[in-house]
Amino acid sequence: MKPIDLRSDTVTLPSPAMREAMVRAPLGDDVYGEDPTVNRLQELCADLLGKEASLFVASGTMANQIALGVLTRPGDEVICDQGAHPVNFEGGAMPALWGIQPRTLRGERGLLDPAEVEAAIRPENEHFPRSRVVEIENTHNRGGGSVYPLGTVRAIAEVARRRGLDLYLDGARLMNAVVASGVPPRDFAEGATLVSLCFSKGLGAPVGSILAGDRDRIREARRLRKRLGGAMRQSGVLAAAAIHALENNVARLAEDHDNARALAVALSSLPGVRILHLVETNMVFASFAGRDAAELVARFREAGVLANPEGSRPDVVRFVTHLDVSRDDVLEATRRVSQAAAR
Ligand code: TLP
């Protein structure tokens, strides 16, 4: 039985055409700025995101941490949703690397309310940490793959600008938001000082993220990337996969979104199952009433379906669709889940 892997869109394998592009890529030493493929990717992404410059980094986590490192000083505070990736899934990097702390808000499906952001900004007072950055995630992972309405992003950006804070957009799955909403990436990124994008999620590349912003901030980002040991050499072999992903795998994200909706409909017909959020992109959060998600996930694995406990609630399992699963796969996954849960 072929396992159906719905743990994350990070599990995709590079296609033969992507591997071919990697093999053929012209290469050089990127620490000297001499890798033509990395340079091409960085120019392409700066343009895509409407920024002056961009930097190819190893992962979404590295993009997030370099961004926060560039924008803060020790003692500063980052206003973000309680489910934000840097707060929950980056090994405590904010305090460990930069001596900064999060101020978490409770967003609706992870999406911050501009008025609540404004209310969370600390007044100038020697007792308080300095509110320095607002961090938003689009799509929002823990919010169930939710998409920020452009108007909300603009309103948050306006608050940040007016109050002298920087906005950082964790766009690990920005292209999912773009495809789901029809909003161009540069519009979502416009009010953000720095914005990131991952190639290794729904876009199907094996490695890499981009961080984009103005020239000075990206120069500083380059220094922090070096400091973290993330300056790579002939990384054009990876950048080629990212370019291939941008050229071939963006529009097809709509299929993943359709498959996620089909999966949600099928799962919701199972006894005791409730779909937690509106399925806007490629994530389905299913609550299995009275069940333990970790135990369920172990049963699903035996039945040939891989999924992850969502983590913040005991009975919620996260299913993620991606380019290596088809409509038939998600329907077959539902049959397997149904049998495994009933046992
Ligand atoms: N998220 C992963 C896990 O770390 C939870 C996943 O499977 O969803 N920002 C967001 C919004 C993310 O969801 C992720 C990865 C990252 C950043 C970090 O990217 P990587 O894993 O490349 O460091």
Side-chain angles (χ1 to χ4, degrees):
M1 185 180 33
K2 176 184 143 229
I4 301 168
D5 196 343
L6 301 170
R7 285 173 299 174
S8 183
D9 45 12
T10 60
V11 301
T12 53
L13 298 178
S15 64
M18 183 179 278
R19 288 174 196 240
E20 185 64 26
M22 296 170 76
V23 168
R24 288 179 184 280
L27 303 175
D29 188 331
D30 181 52
V31 175
Y32 292 99
E34 290 172 4
D35 188 302
T37 310
V38 170
N39 291 341
R40 192 171 145 230
L41 174 69
Q42 290 176 165
E43 279 163 30
L44 216 126
C45 288
D47 183 53
L48 180 77
L49 296 164
K51 302 294 181 200
E52 284 175 0
S54 85
L55 184 70
F56 186 47
V57 299
S59 66
T61 300
M62 188 177 274
N64 283 350
Q65 290 306 320
I66 291 177
L68 295 174
V70 166
L71 298 175
T72 60
R73 283 190 294 153
D76 286 350
E77 200 163 66
V78 176
I79 297 172
C80 58
D81 177 69
Q82 59 176 358
H85 199 273
V87 176
N88 296 285
F89 301 113
E90 298 183 9
M94 277 204 246
L97 295 177
W98 317 117
I100 58 178
Q101 64 186 36
R103 173 120 192 235
T104 56
L105 304 178
R106 197 181 285 267
E108 174 65 28
R109 294 185 302 133
L111 311 182
L112 298 181
D113 175 80
E116 287 177 18
V117 169
E118 178 137 36
I121 298 173
R122 313 258 190 188
E124 181 55 40
N125 181 306
E126 68 184 22
H127 293 82
F128 301 150
R130 189 180 292 110
S131 305
R132 197 56 214 89
V133 176
V134 181
E135 190 263 7
I136 59 173
E137 211 173 284
N138 195 16
T139 65
H140 199 288
N141 181 346
R142 273 245 167 122
S146 49
V147 179
Y148 261 100
L150 180 60
T152 311
V153 176
R154 287 193 167 140
I156 293 171
E158 191 278 323
V159 168
R161 191 194 46 74
R162 182 162 42 75
R163 301 292 301 270
L165 278 68
D166 283 302
L167 177 66
Y168 169 55
L169 169 57
D170 172 353
R173 296 185 179 83
L174 186 65
M175 297 320 268
N176 292 81
V178 164
V179 167
S181 65
V183 172
R186 54 169 61 218
D187 290 9
F188 276 133
E190 193 183 6
T193 311
L194 291 169
V195 51
S196 65
L197 180 71
C198 283
F199 307 112
S200 59
K201 311 230 158 28
L203 296 181
V207 177
S209 285
I210 206 84
L211 182 66
D214 61 68
R215 258 183 218 99
D216 288 349
R217 257 68 165 235
I218 294 303
R219 193 175 307 113
E220 185 59 15
R222 210 176 158 89
R223 181 185 298 273
L224 295 193
R225 184 183 68 170
K226 189 69 182 162
R227 186 178 292 167
L228 295 175
M232 300 178 281
R233 300 291 178 170
Q234 287 71 30
S235 38
V237 71
L238 301 173
I243 293 171
H244 181 88
L246 285 174
E247 287 175 350
N248 296 278
N249 293 345
V250 174
R252 65 148 308 286
L253 291 171
E255 285 172 42
D256 299 344
H257 302 172
D258 287 345
N259 285 340
R261 275 189 288 271
L263 176 65
V265 169
L267 286 173
S268 65
S269 68
L270 305 183
V273 174
R274 195 165 56 86
I275 304 304
L276 285 195
H277 304 295
L278 177 72
V279 175
E280 290 185 275
T281 58
N282 66 332
M283 294 191 181
V284 179
F285 285 20
S287 125
F288 292 76
R291 306 291 291 269
D292 175 58
E295 189 255 339
L296 271 179
V297 159
R299 280 174 184 240
F300 295 165
R301 177 179 280 270
E302 279 173 26
V305 174
L306 307 186
N308 276 328
E310 181 264 353
S312 68
R313 286 157 288 203
D315 64 344
V316 178
V317 177
R318 184 186 82 158
F319 300 88
V320 185
T321 58
H322 52 76
L323 86 176
D324 288 346
V325 292
S326 64
R327 176 64 62 98
D328 284 349
D329 287 335
V330 301
L331 298 178
E332 172 60 19
T334 310
R335 282 189 283 276
R336 294 181 188 175
V337 162
S338 165
Q339 282 167 10
R343 249 187 275 127

